Amino acid sequence: MNQPIHAFWVMLGALAILAIAYRFYGKFLAYRVAGLDPSRVTPAHELYDGQNYHPTNKWVLFGHHFAAISGAGPLIGPVLAIQFGYLPGLIWLLIGVCLAGAVQDMMVLFVSTRRRGRSLAGIAADELGPTAGLATALAILYIIVIALAGLGIVVVKALGGEEVKMKAGTKIVLPAEKNQIIKTTVPGQARIYDIPPGSQYEYAPGERMVFNEGYKLAVPVNAALDQAKEGEGLVLPDNARRLVPGSSWGTFTIACTVPIALFVGLYMYRIRKGKVIEASLFGALAVLGVTVAGAWIPGSSLEKVFSLSRDQTIAAIAAYGFIASVLPVWMLLCPRDYLSSFLKIGTIGLLVIGVLAANPTLEAPAVNSQFAGGGGPYFDGPIFPYVFICIMCGAISGFHALVSSGTTPKMVNNEGDIRMIGYGSMLIEGLVGIVALIAAASLPNSMYYDINIDLSRRPQFTNALAALGVDPHGDHGSELVTMEKEVQESLHGRTGGAVTLAVGMARIFTNAVPGFDWLLKYWYHFAIMFEALFILTTIDTGTRIGRFLLQELLGRIYKPLGDLDWLPASILATGLIVVAWAGFIWSGSVETIWPMFGMANQLLAVIALCVVTTYLINHGKAKFAPVTLLPMLFVMTTTGTAGYSEITGKFWGMVKSGAVVRGYLNIGLTIFVMTCVAIILVTAIKRWLAVMSGRLEVKVE
């Protein structure tokens, strides 16, 4: 039996480690390795255009940068990784963020600032030559699309309605007092049944879970669902789906942040230029106001407006990503990210305090022997390498290198700000991952797996759950059923991690303030909104970065297309990027996109660390190269192993099972990006040897 561990000590130790890393290692990187020079003119001043190059207050830029890099990864990855136990993820988060992730972010930001805000692909071309530069650009283009798809699909799961598949042959048992159901037929699509509250889902003989809320059940038009007698179950046909409505509360609040950000941008840069504090106070109060006001939307006449379906949510975030990428940074992107940072950092601060006050026990095992070797609900592979692929952004994320060489270096006011913005922001993201892990690990095992196992796959995990102490014949789901009643939403089988995290956060906040249990539903919906806002601020910046890169490539074909200030070129490139990542979301799921996102993201980190290592060697700082070379070698090992496993296992399994096109497409894309990385590494090694042997001269800035 595992010795109970309380979250208080885990949180206290994590905070101490992060503080020590910033104070000592961050300072060493800033002034010994990078050699930051506060007197040096930055690209924001040298190339000022008011559109993309714009000197920005360090606190505003910190907010933008943190909001841009902090997406789904640090929230969802640690939640999904609980299938391996809490300890592997916790160790990787702490070591990874201090020695790898924050190092990458700060060093790429430094190099890009020294290179007049050049993209990672442009820096690779400068340091390694045109072949490696082209390979980097092509790899990044694919990676950024799959990364935005991975981020966006979590928003869709959190805000949009969804269809949860029910396994054919399982039963729905109606409550004795409500044994009548209402059928509505949608011509050519499905028969819709209104299932009353209190119904039970019998997913295996004698094994049931209660649905406290009523819901709609869709079955194919050619399949009948006969009326059951009292106490008997309705046998579900193939392709039966439980319809879950969208979150109108969260969607309303998210939508309101856009006009608020537009006003704050105009206030800071046009109406009351430079009055950051005034604009900040207004923006913060307005965001809090619409968060509270969102509670009035469910049940009102506006509910239908903001309760979006899955496809409507995809269309909405695609439209937002397009608009935010085309508008000037000062108008929407920067102020919205700055405002979002209040909510993000404020909520994380509250979570830290909540964990210390509630001091929950970590209910998850330290190492889950049931899934350590594979076979879990999300990753059918062992702890190594999959925990490193599952938890990416909270420890190290290649996507961050795109932000650090995209929008942020074009807005750095002073080189002395780079340590706080680059290294500091990443440490805060590591903290986000740690509190997300604690929130999920503090859930009872029954609650965690009741939420995180697809109902259609529930029977295959019966033995594993019994070994974890989940009694399928007992009243193990009572707390989750009670919570469903409180929050007025379905929670069973809501896979993807977003709902799990919201439930964990709501429990921590509620337990931290005894006597205010009635706030549970507000905490839950606040958490859902918080997650969506967290991720959307990465999507807007990521889309803009993708636009920069695509225009850079298109400019080689037709020079005007590379002009960042030419509106038609901006619209074309943005439209292509948005269509690409929205298409991935529309055709995929968390289970299919997240592993590909993890591998692609980590391979990009390998590229970024390789480029920075080359910069250090090229500029006579080879003695400091291990600070980036060692993390690069580790991430390359874990990601390469995962890529081989995915190609020979899951993707080849798709081909053999009949999903030939999808399987070969995944194999081809994975081999493509791994080949690009191999080209870059081989070119870099040749360059390193040439410089250190004296065959190439050291560069002087």
Side-chain angles (χ1 to χ4, degrees), residues 43-44 48-56 269 329-330 410-412:
Y48 174 79
D49 61 6
Q51 176 81 5
N52 296 302
Y53 291 86
H54 194 283
T56 305
Y269 294 106
V329 289
W330 65 266
K410 298 176 178 64
M411 295 187 281
V412 173

Side-chain angles (χ1 to χ4, degrees), residues 157-420:
K157 293 285 287 186
L159 293 181
E162 60 180 314
E163 298 183 357
V164 180
K165 291 184 178 180
M166 313 281 274
K167 185 176 177 61
T170 56
K171 297 179 181 180
I172 291 177
V173 181
L174 302 176
E177 69 278 8
K178 296 180 180 179
N179 61 354
Q180 299 295 318
I181 58 177
I182 300 172
K183 177 181 68 177
T184 304
T185 301
V186 179
Q189 297 181 35
R191 298 177 187 272
I192 309 296
Y193 295 86
D194 287 325
I195 306 300
S199 298
Q200 299 179 55
Y201 176 51
E202 186 175 297
Y203 56 88
E207 298 175 5
R208 298 178 177 181
M209 60 176 60
V210 178
F211 286 102
N212 186 76
E213 80 292 351
Y215 61 92
K216 294 185 181 294
L217 179 73
V219 301
V221 290
N222 58 353
L225 191 63
D226 296 330
Q227 178 67 56
K229 295 180 181 179
E230 183 175 332
E232 296 182 1
L234 301 172
V235 180
L236 297 176
D238 287 331
N239 201 29
R241 299 157 342 261
R242 180 166 57 98
L243 306 181
V244 180
S247 175
S248 57
W249 186 340
T251 302
F252 167 79
T253 304
I254 294 297
C256 288
T257 61
V258 175
I260 292 172
L262 286 170
F263 178 80
V264 168
L266 289 171
Y267 193 93
M268 282 196 297
Y269 294 106
R270 293 293 184 269
I271 300 173
R272 295 270 289 171
K273 191 173 182 179
K275 300 296 183 180
V276 176
I277 295 178
E278 292 179 15
S280 301
L281 289 174
F282 169 81
L285 291 174
V287 169
L288 289 175
V290 297
T291 301
V292 175
W296 303 328
I297 301 301
S300 73
S301 59
L302 292 175
E303 182 176 10
K304 291 183 179 179
V305 177
F306 293 102
S307 183
L308 305 181
S309 67
R310 182 180 188 274
D311 290 347
Q312 288 172 333
T313 306
I314 293 172
I317 63 174
Y320 169 74
F322 179 87
I323 294 170
S325 177
V326 173
L327 290 177
V329 289
W330 65 266
M331 185 176 290
L332 176 58
L333 183 103
C334 200
R336 187 179 189 279
D337 287 359
Y338 176 56
L339 289 176
S340 299
S341 68
F342 279 109
L343 185 61
K344 288 182 175 186
I345 297 176
T347 302
I348 294 304
L350 284 176
L351 264 176
V352 170
I353 295 171
V355 167
L356 296 175
N359 193 21
T361 301
L362 300 185
E363 301 284 350
V367 178
N368 187 355
S369 60
Q370 297 302 310
F371 300 134
Y378 286 105
F379 294 91
D380 191 18
I383 289 178
F384 181 90
Y386 282 95
V387 74
F388 303 101
I389 303 304
C390 181
I391 298 178
M392 42 189 148
C393 300
I396 183 170
S397 168
F399 182 83
H400 295 187
L402 303 182
V403 181
S404 292
S405 62
T407 54
T408 304
K410 298 176 178 64
M411 295 187 281
V412 173
N413 183 53
N414 186 298
E415 269 198 10
D417 301 338
I418 288 177
R419 177 190 174 200
M420 182 186 78

Side-chain angles (χ1 to χ4, degrees), residues 88-106:
L90 179 62
I91 293 173
W92 171 229
L93 281 166
L94 284 171
I95 295 177
V97 73
C98 295
L99 300 182
V103 175
Q104 174 207 253
D105 289 16
M106 192 191 88

Side-chain angles (χ1 to χ4, degrees), residues 475-628:
D475 195 24
H476 64 275
S478 59
E479 185 179 351
L480 187 60
V481 170
T482 300
M483 183 169 284
E484 286 180 322
K485 184 178 180 180
E486 289 291 327
V487 304
Q488 300 174 350
E489 281 196 18
S490 174
L491 303 176
H492 283 85
R494 296 291 299 278
T495 61
V499 170
T500 308
L501 178 58
V503 170
M505 288 173 60
R507 290 178 83 248
I508 287 175
F509 284 140
T510 302
N511 294 333
V513 189
F516 291 87
D517 293 353
W518 56 274
L519 286 174
L520 178 65
K521 65 179 181 180
Y522 292 97
W523 287 127
Y524 171 82
H525 287 286
F526 173 80
I528 287 290
M529 182 274 301
F530 160 75
E531 293 176 49
L533 188 64
F534 215 97
I535 297 164
L536 281 175
T537 50
T538 305
I539 288 177
D540 54 25
T541 302
T543 301
R544 195 178 195 93
I545 293 168
R547 189 254 285 187
F548 290 162
L549 178 62
L550 186 56
Q551 284 194 250
E552 194 173 298
L553 291 173
L554 292 175
R556 299 182 183 184
I557 302 171
Y558 179 57
K559 191 173 182 180
L561 292 178
D563 185 355
L564 298 180
D565 295 326
W566 191 39
L567 187 59
S570 299
I571 291 174
L572 173 64
T574 302
L576 291 174
I577 292 293
V578 168
V579 167
W581 61 254
F584 267 107
I585 297 175
W586 183 79
S587 61
S589 64
V590 170
E591 291 78 4
T592 57
I593 291 178
W594 197 265
M596 292 185 68
F597 172 30
M599 287 189 297
N601 195 39
Q602 301 300 67
L603 285 172
L604 181 55
V606 171
I607 294 173
L609 289 168
C610 178
V611 170
V612 173
T613 301
T614 305
Y615 174 90
L616 292 174
I617 293 174
N618 282 346
H619 289 78
K621 296 184 177 182
K623 65 179 181 180
F624 295 124
V627 301
T628 52

Side-chain angles (χ1 to χ4, degrees), residues 91-160:
I91 293 173
W92 171 229
L93 281 166
L94 284 171
I95 295 177
V97 73
C98 295
L99 300 182
V103 175
Q104 174 207 253
D105 289 16
M106 192 191 88
M107 292 304 296
V108 171
L109 178 57
F110 160 70
V111 175
S112 181
T113 303
R114 286 286 174 95
R115 286 284 177 271
R116 307 178 81 192
R118 289 271 277 172
S119 69
L120 184 63
I123 298 170
D126 290 343
E127 301 297 330
L128 292 168
T131 301
L134 180 59
T136 301
L138 292 175
I140 290 173
L141 196 58
Y142 161 71
I143 291 168
I144 199 169
V145 168
I146 197 68
L148 291 172
L151 297 168
I153 201 166
V154 178
V155 177
V156 173
K157 293 285 287 186
L159 293 181

